Amino acid sequence: MSDEIDWDNLANEAATQTDAEFNTTIASLTRMSIKEIDEFIKQSEITNANAIKVLKEINDAAASNTAKADAIANIDNGVSFLISLANRIV
């Protein structure tokens, strides 16, 4: 993921996008397919805006792993979404 991504803007847009539009946006930023993203969203029951918040925390190079974990734990369904992502790569 690029450091040039405006995560705050993506979070604001995610709140108004349809699920299909959101999945397409995330697919363009990652190596995941739209189908995989749709499955992650459904499994974790996370909102589009909160999924962006989780990805923003993961991408934050300045934050320690502990700070990232704490921030994600405070996002509704953030941990569930992160586990879904981890299951994809394990």
Side-chain angles (χ1 to χ4, degrees):
M1 288 183 218
S2 170
D3 288 330
E4 299 175 18
I5 297 171
D6 184 345
W7 293 102
D8 293 324
N9 185 49
L10 279 175
N12 289 333
E13 289 178 1
T16 60
Q17 287 180 323
T18 66
D19 289 343
E21 290 170 334
F22 175 75
N23 293 350
T24 300
T25 299
I26 295 300
S28 72
L29 297 173
T30 67
R31 294 182 182 164
M32 293 185 285
S33 71
I34 293 171
K35 181 180 177 183
E36 289 171 315
I37 293 164
D38 187 50
E39 289 172 12
F40 292 143
I41 297 293
K42 287 178 184 175
Q43 287 173 357
S44 62
E45 299 178 354
I46 196 168
T47 65
N48 293 351
N50 283 344
I52 289 291
K53 289 178 185 177
V54 170
L55 294 174
K56 178 181 177 182
E57 291 300 331
I58 293 169
N59 192 59
D60 185 356
S64 70
N65 286 341
T66 301
K68 289 178 185 186
D70 290 344
I72 291 169
N74 288 317
I75 298 170
D76 287 336
N77 296 318
V79 173
S80 178
F81 180 69
L82 190 57
I83 289 169
S84 294
L85 288 174
N87 284 334
R88 179 188 178 270
I89 58 175
V90 173

